[in-house]
Amino acid sequence: MVDGVPVDTHGKQQGSKWNGYYKRTIFLPLIAICGESGDMLGAELRGGTHNVVKDCYGFIRRIGLALREHVADKVIVRLDAGFNSGELCDKLENDRIGYVMRLKGNGVIDGLAAPHLEGDQPSDECYHELRYRAKCWSVEHRVVLVVDPVPGELFPRHFYLITDLDAEAYPAEQLVNLYRKRGKAEKHFGELNAACSMALVSVPRPKTHYKGRPVVREPDESEQEAEIRAENEVLLQVYLLVYQLMHVGRCLMREPDESQVSLSTYHERVLKVGARFVQHARNIVIHIAASADAAWEQYWRRYCQLTWIMLPLKS
């Protein structure tokens, strides 16, 4: 799943802007995460008013091609209605990157759906296949109308999904279930914010004095902005690395018959424990509190068996 994640800012941080949708001053980086496993796939720093749809194709393409080359034969990206555009759909189809995303309703598509919404409400959720092409789109696309009855209401609730996945390989019900798994990915996005408390640097503070003497320099705002942006980009990647290491750790703590523990639980059992460091001539020994011995023994034994692989992202 790919989505924009708001990062609150304070002060006059370069690149942060007031965002009318979120009603606060933010950065709005694009982040890709595997909804099924919770693994972090990548991120790209964006300004606070940057349209998440604009120029998102390059980011999605780099992630998708790397995954298809090194991890999976088929890649499917889930997106919300804010990303929907015919140009993005065409480019993803050309790269053979599958997609399923919400489609905002309009007069034309609502007219196509009207015959399926008339009459008595269905007792269970039902699906209808449509073909739709907006004026700015180059070709028709597959659209699935999802009709969800609401007890006590006169009219059923409905929404649209647009996809390039074949109807035979992914029937409507299977497609809807695939899209709804994005809720698990959103949970991981929430954990990222809660566990890492992402905060990017504030304002450039160049050195004003050296050995008690004032430093005289020509002001160069463009150089300062480039330096701060580079620092923020690295800092964002560090936050994602912290999340991924914690996520790997909690996966190692899980037994086959147990559900996955939360990041906060992993933090309390493994990271936030008493310890004592003893320095010797050639090494440093860490003595873990007795209450955490069992958790650390289980965690460290499995951790040492891992092999780390870095996936190259092609431009």
Side-chain angles (χ1 to χ4, degrees), residues 5-9 16 24-29 193 198-200 236:
V5 178
V7 178
D8 291 331
T9 64
S16 66
R24 56 186 192 265
T25 304
I26 60 171
F27 286 100
L28 193 59
N193 277 326
M198 291 191 294
L200 303 182
L236 176 64

Side-chain angles (χ1 to χ4, degrees), residues 61-168:
R61 182 179 185 272
R62 290 193 299 272
I63 299 293
L65 295 183
L67 290 175
R68 196 170 62 202
E69 181 178 355
H70 300 281
V71 179
D73 295 330
K74 187 175 182 61
V75 177
I76 302 174
V77 59
R78 286 185 289 257
L79 301 163
D80 62 24
F83 286 85
N84 187 267
S85 73
E87 181 180 0
L88 176 60
C89 293
D90 291 342
K91 289 181 177 180
L92 293 179
E93 289 178 17
N94 291 336
D95 288 322
R96 296 184 294 109
I97 298 176
Y99 63 86
V100 54
M101 65 182 84
R102 286 285 290 267
L103 176 64
K104 295 179 180 179
N106 56 56
V108 176
I109 196 170
D110 288 341
L112 296 175
H116 304 290
L117 302 175
E118 297 174 351
D120 297 333
Q121 278 203 48
S123 57
D124 298 314
E125 186 175 80
C126 59
Y127 318 97
H128 303 279
E129 295 282 348
L130 305 175
R131 301 294 299 181
Y132 172 67
R133 177 184 177 182
K135 291 183 179 180
C136 58
W137 294 2
S138 60
V139 295
E140 280 189 338
H141 293 282
R142 178 192 176 196
V143 174
V144 174
L145 166 65
V146 183
V147 182
D148 185 15
V150 181
E153 294 292 335
L154 180 60
F155 298 103
R157 181 172 49 203
H158 69 281
F159 61 91
Y160 308 99
L161 295 179
I162 182 172
T163 182
D164 68 332
L165 303 178
D166 185 74
E168 293 185 1

